[in-house]
């Protein structure tokens, strides 16, 4: 008898990751390749993290501390919460999966907006949970009113995904909008609908009205906060993220978590990275100046983009360059620049570009200028 896979697994469209540098060199025969495709820190990893991990290499025969003691102590201090409220994950992606597994049974629903970070619907689907989507507003933001309606009207909704800012759009929900939304969601079905505030890009945020999630976490009983070491700390390859989760819920999530989900190097590297204030400041500065320069360059080239609160900009390839997103992606690969097309988000005209070093940004702009010139001739 043939194996019967669950239908939701057979029909699953897997996550499309950024194209690796080495693969691009191999396939396109270009030596010099830059990757602006995965919102990674262009400065590399936190030097303090690297140093701490080098020292820890000598003890790799030992399993990691299953409780993640030292990192959780450091994070509880940073966030001003108790030790029990920190749940570590193999990247914040794993915390997303853990939350879904803990809160839902197959047949339940998650609510999210079109354009939401793709790991949400995929992680849900893997576990037999479908995502109900609302349309984005005209300016590519979440329509919280429509989301609230959907939550109220669908009894089996257990989770709401709210990355702020969102990736790949870079758009955000303001403090007043979020407070109003959370106030209403808390009233639905006796507070049983849980909202995931995903702040993977929090350190990059410059908008004054994009709220700190921790006061909201304290104020509302049905909110968890996710953060990651993959962005500002430059440790995407290490796979460490965490959730700030109420103790009584965190206790449940901890049961679902496998004991060694974060490696010993992960625990040590992340803890050291937290102390690397010089590197964090430098990374923020680089992003701020890079973001301004890229926006100015896009304006000059006549390429529309969405204002972003992350370390990336979404540009309209169709309007700006007369090509689809995947076409610009392909053309740029040939010039040794890896970008991220987002047709899988239902946005085939757009391409996401991570803010890089000054030199990388210049290379990307030169590639776009070339495409623009080709368009005219
Ligand atoms: C909004 C958002 N959340 C979470 C993540 C996952 O990060 P990680 O699993 O590396 O912590 C990303 C990564 O791009 C993201 O954009």
């Amino acid at each position: 008898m043939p194996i019967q896979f669950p239908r939701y697994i057979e029909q699953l469209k897997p996550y499309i990751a950024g194209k690796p540098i080495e693969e691009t060199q191999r396939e396109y025969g270009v030596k010099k390749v830059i990757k602006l495709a995965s919102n990674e820190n262009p400065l590399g990893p936190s030097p303090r993290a690297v140093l701490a991990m080098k020292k820890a290499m000598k003890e790799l025969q030992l399993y990691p501390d299953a409780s993640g003691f030292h990192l959780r102590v450091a994070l509880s201090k940073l966030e001003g919460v108790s030790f029990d409220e920190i749940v570590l994950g193999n990247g914040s992606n794993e915390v997303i999966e853990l939350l879904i597994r803990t809160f839902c049974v197959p047949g339940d629903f998650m609510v999210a907006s079109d354009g939401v970070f793709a790991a949400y619907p995929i992680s849900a689907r893997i576990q037999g949970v479908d995502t109900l989507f609302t349309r984005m507003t005209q300016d590519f933001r979440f329509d919280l009113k429509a989301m609230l309606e959907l939550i109220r009207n669908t009894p089996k909704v257990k989770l709401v995904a709210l990355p702020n800012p969102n990736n790949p759009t870079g758009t955000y929900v303001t403090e007043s909008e979020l407070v109003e939304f959370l106030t209403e969601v808390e009233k639905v079905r006796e507070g049983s609908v849980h909202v995931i505030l995903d702040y993977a890009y929090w350190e990059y945020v410059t908008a004054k009205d994009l709220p700190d999630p921790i006061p909201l976490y304290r104020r509302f009983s049905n909110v968890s906060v996710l953060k990651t070491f993959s962005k500002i700390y430059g440790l995407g390859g290490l796979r460490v993220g965490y959730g700030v989760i109420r103790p009584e819920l965190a206790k449940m999530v901890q049961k679902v978590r496998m004991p060694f989900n974060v490696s010993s190097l992960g625990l040590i590297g992340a803890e050291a990275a937290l102390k690397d204030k010089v590197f964090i400041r430098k990374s923020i500065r680089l992003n701020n100046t890079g973001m301004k320069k890229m926006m100015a360059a896009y304006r000059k080239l006549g390429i529309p983009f969405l204002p972003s609160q992350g370390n990336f900009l979404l540009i309209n390839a169709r309007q700006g360059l007369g090509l689809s997103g995947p076409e610009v992606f392909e053309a740029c690969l040939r010039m040794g620049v890896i970008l991220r097309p987002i047709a899988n988000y239902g946005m085939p005209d757009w391409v996401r570009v991570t803010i890089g070093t000054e030199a990388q940004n210049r290379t990307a702009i030169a590639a776009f200028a070339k495409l623009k010139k080709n368009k005219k001739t």
Side-chain angles (χ1 to χ4, degrees):
M1 218 168 72
I3 299 170
Q4 289 275 308
F5 297 104
R7 212 164 40 91
Y8 54 81
I9 299 290
E10 273 192 339
Q11 292 174 353
L12 189 71
K13 291 202 182 98
Y15 184 80
I16 305 169
K19 198 170 177 67
I21 290 177
E22 208 255 334
E23 186 179 296
T24 308
Q25 288 168 326
R26 211 168 49 234
E27 289 177 5
Y28 289 80
V30 270
K31 272 210 187 86
K32 204 157 170 270
V33 174
I34 60 166
K35 185 175 173 217
L36 300 174
S38 299
N39 300 343
E40 292 146 335
N41 189 329
L43 292 177
S46 142
R48 278 184 84 146
V50 173
L51 203 67
M53 287 190 286
K54 270 189 186 156
K55 283 191 193 146
M57 295 267 273
K58 291 188 211 88
E59 295 214 315
L60 277 181
Q61 80 283 8
L62 300 174
Y63 276 90
D65 168 12
S67 76
F69 181 80
H70 293 291
L71 179 57
R72 283 170 68 204
V73 167
L75 287 171
S76 62
K77 275 193 196 137
L78 176 77
E79 301 295 1
V81 298
S82 74
F83 179 79
D84 294 336
E85 292 167 274
I86 303 288
V87 177
L88 301 178
N90 197 261
S92 55
N93 253 329
E94 196 201 15
V95 188
I96 297 172
E97 274 187 60
L98 291 175
L99 285 170
I100 297 167
R101 207 170 296 151
T102 308
F103 281 75
C104 302
V105 292
D108 283 343
F109 293 109
M110 175 152 76
V111 162
S113 170
D114 280 347
V116 73
F117 177 50
Y120 283 92
I122 294 173
S123 304
R125 200 105 219 278
I126 290 167
Q127 305 182 65
V129 174
D130 272 330
T131 303
L132 304 173
F133 291 97
T134 52
R135 303 286 283 272
M136 280 187 278
T137 60
Q138 289 279 318
D139 48 356
F140 299 90
R141 300 171 70 236
F142 294 168
D143 184 343
L144 293 185
K145 290 206 165 57
M147 286 172 79
L148 181 63
E149 274 306 296
L150 200 52
I151 294 163
R152 280 185 177 141
N153 296 333
T154 323
K156 284 188 177 175
V157 170
K158 295 287 165 63
L159 285 172
V160 181
L162 237 163
N164 203 26
N166 184 43
N167 164 29
T169 52
T171 56
Y172 70 99
V173 171
T174 66
E175 174 145 27
S176 58
E177 289 169 334
L178 194 50
V179 167
E180 194 184 329
F181 178 72
L182 293 175
T183 305
E184 292 309 313
V185 175
E186 202 179 34
K187 293 179 196 159
V188 177
R189 294 183 286 284
E190 297 166 51
S192 65
V193 178
H194 200 78
V195 182
I196 306 174
L197 295 182
D198 181 339
Y199 272 59
Y201 299 94
W202 172 232
E203 295 84 357
Y204 293 111
V205 166
T206 54
K208 293 279 178 290
D209 57 349
L210 198 165
D212 183 338
I214 298 298
L216 297 172
Y217 164 80
R218 288 187 207 293
R219 179 165 164 193
F220 297 98
S221 60
N222 56 335
V223 167
S224 290
V225 178
L226 303 190
K227 290 190 185 169
T228 182
F229 286 89
S230 300
K231 305 298 166 188
I232 199 86
Y233 299 101
L235 297 173
L238 199 59
R239 312 304 304 129
V240 191
Y242 62 98
V244 181
I245 305 172
R246 314 219 94 64
E248 64 277 19
L249 305 179
K251 209 160 130 186
M252 295 294 158
V253 183
Q254 294 287 15
K255 288 199 231 183
V256 175
R257 181 185 71 85
M258 288 292 124
F260 308 121
N261 63 331
V262 181
S263 71
S264 47
L265 292 186
L267 294 172
I268 285 162
E271 192 193 345
L274 284 177
K275 297 186 198 127
D276 212 339
K277 304 290 180 213
V278 174
F279 178 76
I280 297 166
R281 274 200 298 274
K282 200 168 152 192
S283 304
I284 293 172
R285 228 180 299 126
L286 184 76
N287 193 63
N288 285 345
T289 48
M291 178 75 81
K292 280 187 199 131
K293 282 197 178 150
M294 290 305 266
M295 290 196 298
Y298 291 139
R299 282 194 193 102
K300 205 166 154 198
L301 283 169
I303 303 173
F305 60 87
L306 299 184
S308 166
Q309 286 297 313
N311 61 345
F312 55 88
L313 279 165
L314 199 55
I315 63 169
N316 192 325
R318 172 67 62 200
Q319 276 183 31
L321 301 166
L323 297 167
S324 73
E327 282 166 347
V328 168
F329 167 66
E330 187 65 31
C332 285
L333 281 180
R334 291 179 196 289
M335 293 186 262
V337 180
I338 314 176
L339 309 172
R340 191 67 156 269
I342 56 158
N344 56 321
Y345 281 85
M347 298 177 77
D349 291 344
W350 299 77
V351 174
R352 194 190 67 195
V353 190
T354 303
I355 306 298
T357 59
E358 266 189 69
Q360 289 173 336
N361 295 339
R362 270 199 303 273
T363 306
I365 289 300
F368 295 135
K370 205 163 169 189
L371 294 180
K372 187 91 190 179
K373 209 165 140 203
N374 289 350
K375 182 189 168 193
K376 283 187 191 139
T377 52

